[in-house]
Amino acid sequence: MSVIIRKSLLELIFSGAFMKRWNDKLRPMELVEVDKQAHKMIVAWLLFLLNSRDMDVARKRALGESIVEGGLFDYLYRLVITDIKPPVFYRIKENPDDYRTLTNWVLQQLRPRIMPLGEDFLTRMNDYLMQPEDKGLARRILHAAHLYASYSEFKLLKSINRMDHELTEIEESFVARLDSMRDLEGVSELLDEDNNVLGGFARMCGRLRFQKRWSQTPRVPETSVLGHMFIVAAYSWFFSMEVGACRARRQNNFFSGLFHDLPELLTRDIISPVKGASQEIGDLIHEYEIRELNRVVLRPLKEGGYSEIADRLEYLLGLEVGSEFKATVCRDGEIVVAAESQMAGEYNQDSLDPKDGPLLKVCDSLAAYIEAHTALKNGISSDQLHQALFRIRSRYNEIPVVSGVQVSALLADFD
């Protein structure tokens, strides 16, 4: 069965922007599921690179695939059970029959929306969710990343919930469980984030939850730059499945989506009309982003002994070719810009490490379209939102198919 991405799946992935976390605690800001998932997958990527250093290419690709798919399976599951408090959920997991009953119900709820992804995807998701006792490397990396991202949220709440009787127990649980995973390379550094460049980088990425997109436009829900990056990453993965991307291309597309707005740590979310006001302004902003990215992120990683992470970030962000939205491959040790037709043909092979920039741009635009469309549907009337929908529709009416994705037909489903 071929994979066909539909509106319902895109909206399901976006729905994590509505889902509140730590809903029984006093919160300095709303914490939502999609932000936590983004932070989790960023940390999972860091641990993936560090723990696959000595693997051959095939094993590394297989591990990357398992981490991305496992993260998406966890997220889809969480979208259904997000209101169950963790202690209750852990008690359910201790009883195999109860856990199986709950998981079967979750899969029934998800099935209508994820069926277009094909029976193979459904089977892999079922196998993954039905085996929570699996202690393979991918599952352990995801679990460590989950604990780190959740603990990061907890530390935001800690100072204003001092009278909460659960506070000490929750923190001790996080620390003990993360401590037990120090055999994974990188976990010790994450726990010592004040004195280590890797931990500092992971914490810095989490700060993107503070930056709201469309900051001058009221919206429901508000989305952060952090959550938006995860939504784009998930879209990139599923559209890569639809167009038959090879394993390396799928992973590169996902992780490019996960980091594509990383420079906004340094510039904030500059809206498209400002960036596009003139070539000079666009070039000035881009030049500032790259200079600060090197100063604040890439150079410290390289000087701290994490050159492979910095180098990979440079490739995912398209720094050598001037944009993350250009298609690239690595040929004979050089990064080469590729034509769209080549990505679907001769360059669609793992050995070339392909990355689909135009597909990433489609996913970025679709995420922005759904943000605006959802806000309007929820009763927020704004010229900026209407103009954004018009701009995106107009662009893909002129170019209806990009990288094999029928973008204009997909947008027509939202009318």
Side-chain angles (χ1 to χ4, degrees):
M1 176 182 173
S2 61
V3 173
I4 302 171
I5 306 304
R6 294 202 167 97
K7 169 190 172 185
S8 59
L9 177 64
L10 301 182
E11 290 184 322
L12 174 66
I13 294 163
F14 180 75
S15 67
F18 289 99
M19 296 193 169
K20 308 291 190 290
R21 291 178 53 77
W22 302 92
N23 213 20
D24 58 340
K25 307 297 180 196
L26 180 61
R27 303 181 296 285
M29 57 178 287
E30 287 294 3
L31 300 171
V32 295
E33 188 64 38
V34 75
D35 292 355
K36 182 265 174 142
Q37 294 293 332
H39 202 194
K40 167 186 168 179
M41 293 309 291
I42 286 170
V43 173
W45 177 78
L46 294 172
L47 296 177
F48 161 53
L49 290 187
L50 294 175
N51 288 276
S52 61
R53 280 169 166 165
D54 299 327
M55 292 183 181
D56 59 48
V57 174
R59 284 180 63 210
K60 189 167 185 172
R61 296 279 184 226
L63 177 61
E65 180 126 337
S66 296
I67 288 170
V68 175
E69 273 209 333
L72 291 169
F73 295 154
D74 287 338
Y75 176 59
L76 292 170
Y77 193 90
R78 179 61 62 180
L79 289 177
V80 180
I81 65 148
T82 194
D83 284 335
I84 300 179
K85 279 180 71 104
V88 176
F89 180 60
Y90 296 145
R91 290 291 296 276
I92 292 171
K93 284 182 80 171
E94 288 170 6
N95 185 312
D97 290 337
D98 288 345
Y99 176 76
R100 196 174 300 112
T101 299
L102 176 64
T103 301
N104 279 324
W105 177 80
V106 169
L107 289 168
Q108 285 172 13
Q109 303 304 304
L110 290 171
R111 188 175 181 85
R113 292 195 178 186
I114 64 175
M115 238 173 35
L117 295 172
E119 285 297 331
D120 287 347
F121 182 87
L122 287 165
T123 299
R124 292 195 302 275
M125 184 170 178
N126 181 80
D127 292 346
Y128 177 89
L129 294 176
M130 287 297 185
Q131 298 172 24
E133 71 285 347
D134 172 32
K135 301 301 181 189
L137 181 56
R139 184 86 71 149
R140 295 193 73 228
I141 284 173
L142 285 168
H143 186 55
H146 153 72
L147 290 172
Y148 175 84
S150 296
Y151 188 33
S152 295
E153 289 179 323
F154 171 81
K155 285 186 279 191
L156 295 175
L157 308 174
K158 182 179 173 183
S159 64
I160 57 173
N161 283 276
R162 294 195 181 279
M163 301 302 291
D164 193 315
H165 69 283
E166 294 181 318
L167 217 62
T168 302
E169 184 181 342
I170 291 171
E171 181 156 34
E172 287 175 351
S173 174
F174 276 131
V175 172
R177 285 181 291 164
L178 278 165
D179 218 42
S180 71
M181 305 191 81
R182 285 183 184 268
D183 60 304
L184 280 178
E185 193 168 345
V187 169
S188 293
E189 289 82 354
L190 291 173
L191 282 168
D192 189 25
E193 59 185 19
D194 291 327
N195 303 300
N196 181 275
V197 66
L198 184 76
F201 174 64
R203 180 173 59 187
M204 187 189 304
C205 290
R207 281 177 19 212
L208 283 166
R209 65 164 42 88
F210 304 147
Q211 289 189 33
K212 298 302 178 185
R213 284 168 54 78
W214 313 70
S215 58
Q216 297 176 352
T217 306
R219 288 177 305 121
V220 176
E222 288 190 332
T223 45
S224 73
V225 171
L226 185 63
H228 168 76
M229 295 195 308
F230 177 78
I231 291 166
V232 173
Y235 289 178
S236 297
W237 181 264
F238 291 127
F239 280 116
S240 296
M241 288 176 60
E242 181 178 86
V243 302
C246 65
R247 181 176 273 180
R249 188 171 152 213
R250 281 200 304 270
Q251 290 177 38
N252 287 339
N253 291 349
F254 179 86
F255 291 122
S256 293
L258 194 60
F259 286 104
H260 78 283
D261 278 341
L262 183 65
E264 291 183 12
L265 269 171
L266 316 164
T267 62
R268 299 190 190 168
D269 182 30
I270 301 172
I271 59 175
S272 297
V274 172
K275 289 180 179 176
S278 75
Q279 185 67 45
E280 290 77 11
I281 290 174
D283 290 345
L284 178 66
I285 292 169
H286 183 67
E287 181 186 332
Y288 178 82
E289 284 179 343
I290 302 309
R291 187 174 69 243
E292 288 300 286
L293 194 63
N294 273 299
R295 185 180 69 85
V296 179
V297 176
L298 300 174
R299 194 181 306 136
L301 283 170
K302 290 175 181 177
E303 291 173 353
Y306 299 101
S307 291
E308 75 273 39
I309 291 173
D311 292 344
R312 203 64 199 156
L313 274 175
E314 288 179 0
Y315 182 63
L316 295 176
L317 293 170
L319 298 191
E320 284 202 27
V321 297
S323 172
E324 70 273 32
F325 297 132
K326 290 181 180 178
T328 54
V329 294
C330 295
R331 195 176 61 196
D332 300 326
E334 288 187 22
I335 297 171
V336 179
V337 176
E340 200 176 298
S341 58
Q342 291 174 306
M343 296 301 287
E346 62 193 284
Y347 287 167
N348 189 34
Q349 48 184 301
D350 287 347
S351 60
L352 293 172
D353 200 22
K355 182 174 71 71
D356 235 331
L359 182 66
L360 177 63
K361 181 63 178 176
V362 166
C363 297
D364 191 34
S365 298
L366 284 170
Y369 190 92
I370 289 173
E371 286 173 341
H373 183 271
T374 304
L376 288 166
K377 193 169 67 174
N378 287 330
I380 306 296
S381 184
S382 162
D383 287 343
Q384 280 188 304
L385 296 175
H386 284 291
Q387 287 165 13
L389 296 187
F390 176 77
R391 277 198 314 274
I392 295 169
R393 273 192 187 136
S394 298
R395 181 191 310 151
Y396 293 110
N397 281 338
E398 291 178 13
I399 313 172
V401 181
V402 180
S403 297
V405 177
Q406 303 273 348
V407 190
S408 62
L410 195 53
L411 290 175
D413 288 343
F414 287 88
D415 291 337

